[in-house]
Amino acid sequence: MLMKTDLLFTINSTAEHVPEFILIGFPGLQQWQQWFSVPLALFLLLALMANFMLILTIYREQKLHQPMCYFLCNLILVDLSLSIIISPKLLAILWFDACSISMPGCFTQMFFGHWLVLSESGILLAMAFDRYIAIWSPLRYTSILNDRLVLKIMVVIAVRAFFCALPVPFLAARLNYCSDRIIKHSYCNNIAVTKLACDDISLNSIYQMTVLNLMLGGDLLIIFLSYCLILRAVLKLHVEGALSKALSTCSSHLIIILIFYSIIAVLGITHHSENEIMTCMAIVLNVFLVIVPPAMNPIIYGVRNKDINQGFRKQFRNRCCG
């Protein structure tokens, strides 16, 4: 972390006259910000506890050692990392008015935010592929999606997201920033930060929109095609109840996809709006993207997946009863 911060600081030689930014949390709602911190802290605590139990359940239950659960663990780690990168600073703003953030710290937060969101999109795509293989060829499921292939997929997802996210803070750090250092956001969002620059930010905007459209949009399109193939495979079975069973198998993943991409889509619409209400909505949705998925994943998968539900209950009883 320190090495990354030092690196981003050295490339920011053009903006030494602005050593830090000021984050204001929720613009226009400052008088209510401390109240927002209560559900925020509770959701964060819930996410940490529930996800720890879910990972522990998957680790200890042998029957959960399967590709879907490996991808789920990866999704959990990405969601929790995103919360840890952003939530502590946000809580410090809400509780202690600790609004200042150094430029290296801001660009580092910006990088990890993009990296983790892009990684989550890739994991959701991998989980769609997993569901397709499970329904298309259940007898060869574990032989096709063996541990080596799952590991390779995870590495590709992380590397792809890393190199796509890496230019974002570098492009932001090359800019000269004016005297207005106030970021009208709850964390260092690329668009909110670069709006403060005195220079032309067209390249920054074009790159971000290109990455979002190609990666997130491309992932969503492939996920949609995967589910079309799943539907086609189920309809070919001509077995009574096959469709409802397939929907039950995929329902948890579909709910997570709906939550994640719905927030992303609304953010894409509201981010560039000059309307104060729309801007505030974008900021709140950004916070939702950080907080809600980590808290919801254990609930959705714990309730919808029978094996995880049983394992979760077993681990909970063992913890409570010693």
Side-chain angles (χ1 to χ4, degrees):
M1 178 75 73
L2 291 176
M3 291 178 63
K4 183 67 183 176
T5 301
D6 292 340
L7 176 62
L8 289 173
F9 182 75
T10 57
I11 66 171
N12 195 28
S13 57
T14 60
E16 291 180 353
H17 60 288
V18 185
E20 62 182 23
F21 292 112
I22 304 296
L23 290 162
I24 60 174
F26 299 98
L29 301 173
Q30 284 87 345
Q31 67 270 28
W32 303 102
Q33 288 191 154
Q34 288 186 337
W35 293 105
F36 295 155
S37 66
V38 176
L40 174 62
L42 289 175
F43 262 87
L44 184 59
L45 182 62
L46 171 65
L48 290 172
M49 293 175 61
N51 282 288
F52 171 76
M53 285 296 297
L54 186 53
I55 291 176
L56 186 65
T57 299
I58 293 172
Y59 174 75
R60 290 189 172 179
E61 294 294 319
Q62 188 65 37
K63 63 181 178 180
L64 296 178
H65 292 183
Q66 51 184 290
M68 185 273 289
C69 291
Y70 296 150
F71 288 129
L72 177 57
C73 284
N74 207 18
L75 180 67
I76 290 170
L77 292 175
V78 167
D79 280 338
L80 288 180
S81 298
L82 189 60
S83 292
I84 292 169
I85 288 296
I86 293 172
S87 295
K89 180 60 183 176
L90 179 55
L91 288 173
I93 295 170
L94 301 182
W95 284 341
F96 310 113
D97 291 326
C99 299
S100 64
I101 183 170
S102 67
M103 295 190 75
C106 186
F107 295 135
T108 301
Q109 192 182 67
M110 185 187 298
F111 165 74
F112 279 103
H114 282 77
W115 184 20
L116 294 169
V117 168
L118 294 174
S119 294
E120 179 156 355
S121 179
I123 296 168
L124 292 175
L125 173 58
M127 293 175 81
F129 176 67
D130 167 87
R131 294 298 83 199
Y132 171 68
I133 297 297
I135 292 173
W136 171 68
S137 185
L139 298 179
R140 294 195 300 154
Y141 173 63
T142 54
S143 61
I144 295 174
L145 276 176
N146 53 60
D147 291 351
R148 180 176 296 181
L149 179 58
V150 170
L151 180 60
K152 286 180 179 179
I153 291 173
M154 289 179 180
V155 171
V156 169
I157 289 170
V159 171
R160 181 192 75 155
F162 178 88
F163 283 107
C164 287
L166 190 60
V168 174
F170 280 83
L171 288 172
R174 71 185 174 84
L175 299 171
N176 290 296
Y177 289 90
C178 304
S179 57
D180 184 5
R181 301 174 295 145
I182 301 175
I183 302 173
K184 295 179 179 180
H185 213 288
S186 53
Y187 66 92
C188 287
N189 175 275
N190 180 47
I191 296 174
V193 173
T194 53
K195 280 182 178 179
L196 306 179
C198 309
D199 304 328
D200 181 22
I201 62 170
S202 298
L203 181 59
N204 301 67
S205 299
I206 291 171
Y207 182 80
Q208 171 143 330
M209 292 307 299
T210 301
V211 169
L212 289 177
N213 288 331
L214 289 181
M215 287 196 64
L216 299 183
D219 288 351
L220 182 59
L221 177 61
I222 298 173
I223 289 171
F224 175 75
L225 293 175
S226 297
Y227 273 99
C228 288
L229 293 174
I230 288 173
L231 182 61
R232 180 185 176 188
V234 171
L235 293 177
K236 279 187 175 182
L237 294 176
H238 300 294
V239 177
E240 186 178 353
L243 182 59
S244 60
K245 185 177 180 180
L247 289 175
S248 177
T249 302
C250 300
S251 59
S252 300
H253 182 236
L254 287 169
I255 294 170
I256 296 296
I257 287 173
L258 182 63
I259 293 172
F260 178 77
Y261 286 104
S262 295
I263 295 175
I264 292 292
V266 176
L267 283 175
I269 297 170
T270 57
H271 254 318
H272 296 283
S273 174
E274 297 298 329
N275 183 281
E276 186 175 341
I277 296 177
M278 297 291 281
T279 301
C280 185
M281 183 187 297
I283 294 168
V284 172
L285 284 173
N286 263 287
V287 176
F288 274 23
L289 185 63
V290 172
I291 298 169
V292 173
M296 294 300 294
N297 287 345
I299 298 172
I300 293 170
Y301 278 93
V303 171
R304 305 293 301 181
N305 187 287
K306 181 180 178 181
D307 291 336
I308 292 178
N309 193 330
Q310 291 176 348
F312 199 89
R313 289 172 180 269
K314 179 180 176 181
Q315 293 302 320
F316 185 77
R317 285 195 301 267
N318 291 342
R319 287 269 168 181
C320 292
C321 303

